[in-house]
Amino acid sequence: MENKNSLLAYTLRIADDSLILGQRLGEWCGHGPILEEDIALTNIALDFVGQATNLFEYAAVVANDGRSSDDLAFLRLEHQYTNVLLVEQPNGHFGDTIARQFLFDAFRKLYFEKLIHSKDEQLSAIAAKSLMETKYHTKHSSEWLIRLGDGTELSHDRIQESINDLWKFTDELFYMDEIDRELIEKGIAVDLETLRKPWLEYVEMVLGEAKLNKPDSKWIFNLGRNGVHTDHMGYVLTEMQYMQRAYPGMEW
């Protein structure tokens, strides 16, 4: 069997991305700009939480150390989470959320399309189920990006600013280390570098339709995979972990 620690770390990375972004999107519940979008964002949040649940349940099996999926999701310390920095960024205004979602969705769709071919049957099955949801997520965020970019002068300027602000976090989507290389060699993980070109092509196409510019920023922030997070992460975890820490072992 492949190195258990590597498979666990890899699975947790995917799970953490889904969990933290699901938590962020859940913050929109009751605060959406229109009722239809309030419901849409809440449903997308539930999709991400569902993905995270499946991944944490598998991670608990891989770890086989007595920790449950809830323990892995809610009782780790900040530096033990390895999500990309993009997903922990604040919701901001609606355009900020759409820009964050679009940049991540465009990557996640390509990622799951590759992960379904993983030799790890459980990861492959989770990817296949998640891909159906992710296709909708990508369509939703892309259409909103175009609508805002090609809308009023105000909506165009604000969504352009959102893209500019978040662009520095996108390089981390393609971050790989020895864990990835080990599992790529075994046919389990996805070679993320193969996704960079199609991701950029799709992003540029949608930005073009939205009459938006791809940022020229060369800043790169990519420490999330190593457990180093922005100041925002602590606030996310404080709210997300409250119930489990206040009432240890509580189950729905």
Side-chain angles (χ1 to χ4, degrees):
M1 181 179 178
E2 64 278 350
N3 186 319
K4 184 182 78 170
N5 291 333
S6 294
L7 180 59
L8 175 60
Y10 188 75
T11 303
L12 288 175
R13 288 176 178 181
I14 315 170
D16 288 346
D17 284 348
S18 293
L19 179 66
I20 300 304
L21 187 52
Q23 176 72 15
R24 274 299 193 206
L25 289 172
E27 295 170 7
W28 272 104
C29 186
H31 301 281
I34 55 176
L35 179 59
E36 181 182 21
E37 200 54 31
D38 190 293
I39 295 171
L41 290 173
T42 303
N43 282 332
I44 293 172
L46 289 173
D47 286 343
F48 277 104
V49 172
Q51 293 172 16
T53 298
N54 291 331
L55 288 159
F56 281 121
E57 288 176 350
Y58 181 47
V61 172
V62 174
N64 192 28
D65 57 7
R67 287 182 294 174
S68 68
S69 56
D70 282 347
D71 292 335
L72 292 171
F74 300 117
L75 296 181
R76 287 179 292 152
L77 300 176
E78 180 177 322
H79 71 274
Q80 295 172 318
Y81 286 82
T82 52
N83 55 277
V84 292
L85 300 180
L86 177 64
V87 300
E88 67 194 49
Q89 298 311 301
N91 287 332
H93 57 68
F94 182 64
D96 291 331
T97 292
I98 290 299
R100 183 188 65 199
Q101 197 64 35
F102 166 70
L103 295 171
F104 186 76
D105 287 341
F107 165 80
R108 244 320 167 71
K109 178 177 176 292
L110 293 168
Y111 176 75
F112 282 141
E113 286 174 344
K114 292 287 188 179
L115 191 62
I116 59 175
H117 302 294
S118 172
K119 290 184 178 179
D120 185 296
E121 293 182 0
Q122 193 62 34
L123 287 180
S124 175
I126 293 172
K129 181 180 185 300
S130 301
L131 179 58
M132 293 186 289
E133 300 166 343
T134 305
K135 287 180 178 178
Y136 165 72
H137 301 165
T138 307
K139 180 176 184 293
H140 176 267
S141 58
S142 299
E143 289 178 350
W144 264 110
L145 192 84
I146 294 169
R147 184 175 176 180
L148 293 171
D150 194 22
T152 65
E153 181 179 353
L154 177 61
S155 71
H156 173 277
D157 291 347
R158 295 189 77 180
I159 194 68
Q160 180 68 69
E161 184 178 1
S162 300
I163 290 289
N164 293 345
D165 289 343
L166 293 168
W167 191 259
K168 58 182 172 288
F169 299 111
T170 59
D171 187 74
E172 188 178 20
L173 295 169
F174 310 97
Y175 172 87
M176 292 189 292
D177 58 14
E178 65 280 358
I179 291 173
D180 297 88
R181 287 186 281 273
E182 175 190 337
L183 297 182
I184 288 170
E185 199 171 307
K186 296 177 183 295
I188 294 172
V190 175
D191 183 346
L192 300 179
E193 197 56 44
T194 65
L195 306 183
R196 188 186 294 271
K197 182 179 178 182
W199 176 84
L200 187 58
E201 289 175 348
Y202 179 74
V203 167
E204 289 180 334
M205 179 191 73
V206 175
L207 289 177
E209 289 188 42
K211 296 181 172 57
L212 298 170
N213 298 316
K214 180 172 76 70
D216 293 326
S217 173
K218 303 300 182 183
W219 287 98
I220 293 176
F221 292 83
N222 60 0
L223 293 174
R225 288 291 189 231
N226 293 304
V228 180
H229 297 279
T230 62
D231 292 342
H232 309 298
M233 184 65 169
Y235 294 99
V236 174
L237 295 182
T238 297
E239 182 172 337
M240 189 183 79
Q241 295 184 341
Y242 173 78
M243 291 297 288
Q244 273 294 328
R245 293 195 179 278
Y247 304 97
M250 185 190 70
E251 296 181 359
W252 288 104

